[in-house]
Amino acid sequence: MTEEVFRSPKKRGRIAVLLSGRGSNFMSIHHAIREGRIDADVVLVLSNKPDAPGLTAARERGLETLFLDPKLYANREDYDQAIVERLRQKDVDLVCLAGYMRILTPVLCRAFVNRILNIHPALLPSFPGLHGRQKAIDWGVRFSGCTVHFVAEEVDMGPIVLQAAVPVLQDDTEDTLAARILVEEHKIYPEAVRLFFEGRIEIRGRRVFFV
Ligand code: GRF
């Protein structure tokens, strides 16, 4: 059986960011674009929360933003279908989840296979889901970190692009560990997006290669 190989496109990319909160990862990506480290434009910043600080930050940066109210849709699939339509209208190449606090339905996952990235605050496959940092502390691991991965239908389980590790200290709280991990998130997320639009990411099975 021949394995299907995906190769990311080498082009000036069109990025959509989905966020629900403060948006520091979005800002790290946008900053890298402005510095010329990523060949792309953020063409849409979309949120399920009208008051997400990340939306305000996007507006302040002159970017197109959109609040889509989940309450106006009968179910999660219909909501995700509305998102898919907006993303298609904007001809989006890559969707960056950046603190987007909704689980994607297959409607969205299947419309953008190999074209949705997420950042998770733990070294996957350890500690998926919510509260990854507290789970790492409670488990007693000596290192945790963050993972940029492609989004598959199973939550936090898609192919891993980049990871960074940080020590877990004896007196860490969820907040102190989060702050240490966040510094690394802001390095590896823009780096993964850069590699994507340099056409250097190849996915074979569940492994990612840089070519
Ligand atoms: C980050 O900790 C990220 O790992 C997780 O959600 C948080 C988002 O933070 N997925 P921000 O909104 O990007 O500042």
Side-chain angles (χ1 to χ4, degrees):
M1 207 179 81
T2 53
E3 194 180 50
E4 218 177 294
V5 176
F6 167 84
R7 176 79 176 264
S8 67
K10 179 169 169 51
K11 63 175 299 203
R12 183 160 186 89
R14 295 175 63 79
I15 297 174
V17 176
L18 270 54
L19 55 77
S20 305
R22 110 197 115 168
S24 71
N25 278 287
F26 145 64
M27 286 186 263
S28 75
I29 293 168
H30 189 246
H31 181 67
I33 290 173
R34 284 207 291 210
E35 283 196 331
R37 283 186 279 132
I38 302 174
D39 189 21
D41 297 295
V42 175
V43 296
L44 183 65
V45 178
L46 191 151
S47 184
N48 61 321
K49 299 276 181 199
D51 50 1
L55 266 193
T56 312
R59 259 180 240 119
E60 283 166 6
R61 285 165 170 73
L63 299 173
E64 184 170 334
T65 61
L66 178 67
F67 158 59
L68 271 189
D69 188 349
K71 289 202 238 25
L72 301 180
Y73 298 86
N75 51 48
R76 293 170 53 230
E77 287 75 16
D78 284 3
Y79 183 72
D80 278 2
Q81 186 55 42
I83 293 181
V84 167
E85 280 157 26
R86 302 302 178 117
L87 298 177
R88 290 208 170 117
Q89 277 164 16
K90 300 300 285 183
D91 203 14
V92 164
D93 301 303
L94 180 70
V95 180
C96 293
L97 306 183
Y100 181 64
M101 300 305 285
R102 286 173 71 87
I103 293 173
L104 306 195
T105 68
V107 170
L108 184 43
C109 295
R110 288 178 194 167
F112 285 86
V113 174
N114 297 332
R115 291 192 296 152
I116 309 177
L117 288 176
N118 182 42
I119 181 127
H120 181 75
L123 293 174
L124 293 172
S126 292
F127 315 124
L130 291 175
H131 305 298
R133 291 158 290 223
Q134 189 62 49
K135 286 178 194 161
I137 293 170
D138 294 345
W139 195 261
V141 293
R142 300 299 185 202
F143 290 90
S144 190
C146 48
T147 305
V148 177
H149 64 95
F150 284 97
V151 171
E153 287 180 34
E154 211 182 332
V155 174
D156 293 335
M157 292 308 272
I160 289 170
V161 183
L162 290 173
Q163 293 186 303
V166 303
V168 179
L169 306 179
Q170 205 146 300
D171 56 356
D172 262 334
T173 63
E174 194 170 8
D175 286 346
T176 58
L177 180 58
R180 197 173 308 120
I181 292 174
L182 195 65
V183 173
E184 302 304 318
E185 293 185 24
H186 294 164
K187 292 179 194 161
I188 67 170
Y189 210 171
E191 177 65 3
V193 176
R194 181 177 74 79
L195 289 164
F196 188 90
F197 287 118
E198 284 181 350
R200 292 187 50 204
I201 289 186
E202 211 166 82
I203 309 176
R204 293 184 227 149
R206 63 154 299 114
R207 292 183 68 192
V208 170
F209 293 83
F210 303 127
V211 290

